[in-house]
Amino acid sequence: MLRSLAAAAMLAALSPSAAHAQAAPSTVAAPDPARLAVAKILIERFMPADRRDAMVEQMVRPMMDNAREAMFSGALFDSIRADDPKLRATIDDFMKQEFEHSLARMKAAMPALADAMARAYARRFTLEQLQAISAFYDTPAGRAFAEQAPTLMSDPDILAVQRTMMTEAMAGMEQRIAGFSAKMVESRKAK
C-alpha cells in the first residue's frame, strides 16, 4: 500500500502537467501600445508561429526523457520493480501518455503564451530596448541564436546536469514520501 501511494505521489509530482500548473494571473496595467507592437514582432522573430510546435518538442522532450530515466534509475523504483517487474512498463506507459498529453497542451497554449510574452516584454523593456533586441535578430548572430536556442536543452552537457539533478532529487524520495504518507494518515485520524 505504501509503495503504491509512494508511486502515485511520485508520478503526480513529476507529471509534466503538475510542473506547468499556473497560479491565477494578477491584475496588471496594459502595456504601452507602441512597445507592445514591437514586442509582438520580436516574439515572432524568435518564436515564429510556424515553428512553435517543433520548438516545444526540441526544448521539452529531452528534459522529460531525462526526468523519466532518472526516476526509473532511483532506489524507489528499484524496490517497486523487485515487488512487481511489470510495474515499470505500466508506469512508463502512464508517464509517456501524460507527457504526450502535456506536450499537446503546451503546443495548444503557445499562441496565448506568445501574446503573454509580448505583453511582458512590452512592460519590462523600453521601446528603444525592444527595437535594439529586435535588430539583433536581423544580424547573422541573431538569426543563428534564434535557430539554435531551442536545441540547447538537448545538448549533452545540459542533459548530463539535468540527469544529475534528477538523480539527486530522487535520492531519499521513498523516505520523504513515507513521511508525507504518515502525516496524511495522522491528519485523517485527527478529524
Side-chain angles (χ1 to χ4, degrees):
M1 170 69 174
L2 179 59
R3 287 195 171 139
S4 297
L5 183 57
M10 171 70 70
L11 290 173
L14 292 177
S15 168
S17 297
H20 295 285
Q22 296 178 3
S26 60
T27 305
V28 294
D32 173 72
R35 288 164 58 177
L36 182 59
V38 175
K40 285 182 177 185
I41 293 168
L42 176 61
I43 296 299
E44 183 61 28
R45 284 198 156 154
F46 68 82
M47 283 180 48
D50 64 342
R51 294 197 54 239
R52 289 180 188 156
D53 285 358
M55 293 171 84
V56 168
E57 289 275 347
Q58 290 172 323
M59 289 185 284
V60 177
R61 192 170 295 278
M63 288 187 294
M64 291 312 301
D65 288 346
N66 237 354
R68 190 171 57 241
E69 188 56 40
M71 182 178 79
F72 285 127
S73 67
L76 173 63
F77 281 92
D78 284 344
S79 63
I80 290 172
R81 280 193 308 269
D83 292 345
D84 184 353
K86 294 180 182 177
L87 190 56
R88 178 184 171 120
T90 302
I91 293 170
D92 197 37
D93 286 346
F94 175 77
M95 291 295 290
K96 285 178 183 175
Q97 290 172 3
E98 283 300 302
F99 172 68
E100 295 302 328
H101 173 76
S102 294
L103 195 61
R105 297 295 313 139
M106 283 185 234
K107 289 176 181 178
M110 287 305 290
L113 180 61
D115 286 343
M117 288 174 66
R119 289 190 303 277
Y121 274 58
R123 280 192 286 272
R124 284 169 178 76
F125 297 101
T126 67
L127 183 59
E128 293 76 22
Q129 289 169 327
L130 289 166
Q131 290 168 334
I133 295 167
S134 186
F136 167 70
Y137 286 97
D138 287 332
T139 69
R143 286 189 295 275
F145 178 80
E147 183 68 30
Q148 293 299 315
T151 67
L152 292 176
M153 297 313 286
S154 63
D155 182 86
D157 288 338
I158 291 174
L159 291 174
V161 169
Q162 287 175 344
R163 262 190 308 280
T164 299
M165 288 177 1
M166 287 303 299
T167 300
E168 290 171 357
M170 297 299 295
M173 180 66 76
E174 189 168 10
Q175 293 82 7
R176 291 192 301 274
I177 291 173
F180 172 69
S181 298
K183 287 179 183 178
M184 286 177 38
V185 168
E186 286 302 313
S187 176
R188 299 289 292 167
K189 286 181 184 177
K191 276 190 161 186

